Amino acid sequence: MKPRMISRRRMLQGALAATATIPLLNSELARGQETTAPKRFVVFYTPNGTMESKWMPTGTENNFTLSPLLQPLSPFKSKIIPMRGVNMNVVVNSNIGSEHARGIGGLLTGRALLKGNFKSFMSTNAGWSSGISLDQHIANKLQPSTLFKTLELGVQVRDAEVRGRLSYAGPDQPIPPREDPYDTFQQLFGATVPDPGQDPGGATALDRLRAQRRTVFDLLREDIADVRPRIGKEDRIKLDSHLQSIRDIEARLAGGGSSNGGGGTPTTGSCQAPALGDRIDLSKDDNMPAIGKLQMDMMAAALACDLTRVATIQWSYAESEHLYPFLGLTQNHHAISHEWNAAGDEKYMKIHTWFAEQLAYLLGKLDSYAEGDRTLLDNTVVLWVTEIGESRQHALTNIPFLLAGSGGGVFKTGRFVDYLANGGSARQHNDLLVTIANAMGTDDKTFGDPNYSTGALPSLT
């Protein structure tokens, strides 16, 4: 009798089925499995630059100490590359838009802004960027066989003009980030969590949700039961962990907390809908941590499920005036970033350190998925970006770029790459974008404005 095999298409059908996608597994029982894990590209954006003296590591390339603002990334020191001496000259001398608007417009496009009528700080002539962004370019060039070409997520972005857009399909073609985690979940995994406030017939909605999930698992029950005993222990652990991760997301979306512990849903075989509760209020600043965690969890799951291989997550907007009450702060972020005293330093460091903690959380999620002798993080290129360098000076030079993950072994991580060391010269961020594109598998020689791009950066691969 021929052994039963689970097709990738079958595993991707319907709600929660995506959580069991077989590219995670090593077993030969998985049909259509790739011989090597795919590469992924992730952009992690945070607003309002940095404090250079508190961000830049000290030491040498291979013997460096992480700075105070980078301390949350200590567990991943061997898997990151902080950089010094990378400028965004492509937007330095433009007179269109404020430094914040120019910075975010050029971050992934390597091009200047078009003229427009957006107001940004003291400027009123900002338009959209004049080029395609790197994430969209990579997806267009490589055409990955995923359900979603790219995934753009936002966390309380709140700005619909140039300051709130990171990705571009082309010149004058911004792509808005998806800010609602409920919408993200529905789009990625095909399961709608009913809103009791909008559906007075909550029992009916719950019945529909349960029926939908029963249908999914009815389709898979025989396949899973037949294949599970014949896959290796490592594969079973990966599958169980992945299923549980999505159910945890479900429970939080429904207001039920973690599904670990009493009353949780079983890991395999059947699915019970979590207790429905009130949605997270997306408008409250206090909820930024909860919203961000949901978005990061779903991004990690989407990458692990091979639903997409290119994703961005944008926290707030360039020149952000976001409040951080959960950090005990009452002033807005932009005002704090220009407070030239010790008290301002302390407040700014709280915000920046918190963002570093969020990146560490995402890296941890990616690193928790094993892919052969590597992890999902190892097979990913994560780029941490912000729109300016030194926040108090609105600098567009020495931008605090940081890479994490090796792109499947392309980047030599665990190093501090300082292009200004020993009298060296600054490099252009366009060439950093070329380097990432090449690491992902493109044959690009330049990216963005060719006047500011000469080829891949040295010392990274």
Side-chain angles (χ1 to χ4, degrees):
M1 179 177 177
K2 190 175 181 179
R4 184 190 299 266
M5 293 187 288
I6 306 177
S7 71
R8 183 172 178 271
R9 180 183 297 273
R10 181 79 171 268
M11 296 301 288
L12 283 169
Q13 289 176 332
L16 291 183
T19 67
T21 47
I22 292 304
L24 287 170
L25 306 182
N26 299 320
S27 173
E28 292 181 0
L29 296 172
R31 179 181 295 158
Q33 174 180 297
E34 300 183 43
T35 55
T36 59
K39 295 179 182 180
R40 291 83 157 192
F41 176 48
V42 171
V43 178
F44 187 93
Y45 166 85
T46 58
N48 287 338
T50 192
M51 294 172 60
E52 186 176 322
S53 63
K54 304 292 185 182
W55 190 92
M56 290 296 168
T58 57
T60 62
E61 177 179 348
N62 295 301
N63 184 18
F64 65 96
T65 300
L66 290 176
S67 59
L69 294 180
L70 296 182
Q71 280 304 310
L73 300 180
S74 294
F76 305 99
K77 185 180 177 183
S78 65
K79 298 191 177 189
I80 64 175
I81 307 175
M83 286 174 278
R84 178 171 177 257
V86 180
N87 297 342
M88 281 203 293
N89 284 0
V90 69
V91 296
V92 166
N93 295 320
S94 171
N95 61 2
I96 301 175
S98 70
E99 290 86 352
H100 289 278
R102 282 184 265 155
I104 193 169
L107 263 179
L108 297 186
T109 66
R111 289 187 178 271
L113 296 181
L114 299 167
K115 286 186 178 181
N117 57 7
F118 299 141
K119 182 178 180 180
S120 60
F121 197 48
M122 301 301 292
S123 171
T124 58
N125 67 345
W128 301 117
S129 183
S130 58
I132 189 172
S133 56
L134 182 64
D135 54 320
Q136 302 302 307
H137 172 76
I138 288 172
N140 289 345
K141 286 273 265 190
L142 302 182
Q143 292 292 313
S145 57
T146 54
L147 293 181
F148 299 91
K149 186 180 77 169
T150 60
L151 177 64
E152 296 81 30
L153 300 181
V155 183
Q156 296 187 328
V157 174
R158 298 176 177 171
D159 191 298
E161 298 182 351
V162 64
R163 299 181 305 174
R165 298 295 179 260
L166 188 64
S167 295
Y168 287 82
D172 214 19
Q173 299 176 60
I175 300 176
R178 194 183 300 277
E179 297 185 59
D180 186 338
Y182 304 91
D183 178 46
T184 303
F185 186 83
Q186 193 279 331
Q187 289 295 316
L188 287 175
F189 304 111
T192 301
V193 180
D195 184 344
Q198 296 180 2
D199 185 1
T204 302
L206 182 57
D207 287 342
R208 288 199 302 269
L209 184 60
R210 284 174 173 161
Q212 182 185 29
R213 289 170 182 164
R214 278 200 302 270
T215 300
V216 169
F217 280 92
D218 283 345
L219 286 172
L220 296 173
R221 186 177 294 112
E222 290 185 9
D223 288 341
I224 292 173
D226 186 73
V227 171
R228 185 180 177 79
R230 296 186 287 114
I231 63 177
K233 180 180 179 182
E234 180 183 345
D235 284 343
R236 289 197 300 271
I237 291 173
K238 280 190 264 186
L239 184 58
D240 290 349
S241 174
H242 199 47
L243 287 166
Q244 189 62 46
S245 176
I246 297 298
R247 289 193 174 90
D248 286 344
I249 294 171
E250 259 197 315
R252 296 205 305 279
L253 283 171
S258 171
S259 61
N260 295 320
T265 58
T267 305
T268 59
S270 64
C271 178
Q272 296 176 350
L276 296 178
D278 294 335
R279 290 176 177 236
I280 298 171
D281 187 339
L282 304 181
S283 68
K284 288 187 176 180
D285 293 338
D286 262 329
N287 287 336
M288 189 182 220
I291 296 167
K293 188 175 182 183
L294 282 171
Q295 297 284 59
M296 289 188 290
D297 284 353
M298 284 185 281
M299 173 187 281
L303 293 167
C305 288
D306 207 29
L307 296 178
T308 191
R309 297 178 185 176
V310 179
T312 61
I313 184 165
Q314 178 179 341
W315 297 79
S316 193
Y317 61 95
E319 200 178 280
S320 172
E321 294 182 328
H322 204 284
L323 300 176
Y324 295 84
F326 53 90
L327 296 178
L329 301 175
T330 56
Q331 290 175 279
N332 76 66
H333 190 184
H334 189 249
I336 290 172
S337 72
H338 290 291
E339 193 172 335
W340 294 69
N341 54 44
D345 288 357
E346 182 179 354
K347 286 179 282 189
Y348 186 87
M349 288 181 67
K350 277 188 178 182
I351 297 172
H352 202 295
T353 301
W354 183 79
F355 276 129
E357 289 168 354
Q358 305 319 296
L359 177 59
Y361 176 82
L362 178 60
L363 298 184
K365 291 292 294 187
L366 299 180
D367 213 31
S368 70
Y369 292 106
E371 293 185 329
D373 59 354
R374 289 191 174 119
T375 69
L376 175 56
L377 175 58
D378 297 327
N379 293 317
T380 301
V381 179
V382 180
L383 176 65
W384 183 11
V385 297
T386 185
E387 78 270 17
I388 57 176
E390 177 64 46
S391 64
R392 291 169 173 170
Q393 299 175 359
H394 282 174
L396 291 167
T397 55
N398 204 15
I399 310 297
F401 290 112
L402 183 143
L403 290 171
S406 66
V410 176
F411 290 113
K412 297 177 182 178
T413 59
R415 299 178 300 128
F416 170 37
V417 175
D418 183 358
Y419 292 109
L420 301 181
N422 303 315
S425 300
R427 306 286 178 155
Q428 296 308 312
H429 102 287
N430 292 60
D431 290 340
L432 172 60
L433 302 182
V434 175
T435 309
I436 293 171
N438 293 166
M440 290 296 295
T442 78
D443 58 358
D444 297 295
K445 303 303 181 185
T446 65
F447 185 77
D449 188 334
N451 293 317
Y452 296 91
S453 185
T454 58
L457 288 176
S459 304
L460 290 180
T461 59

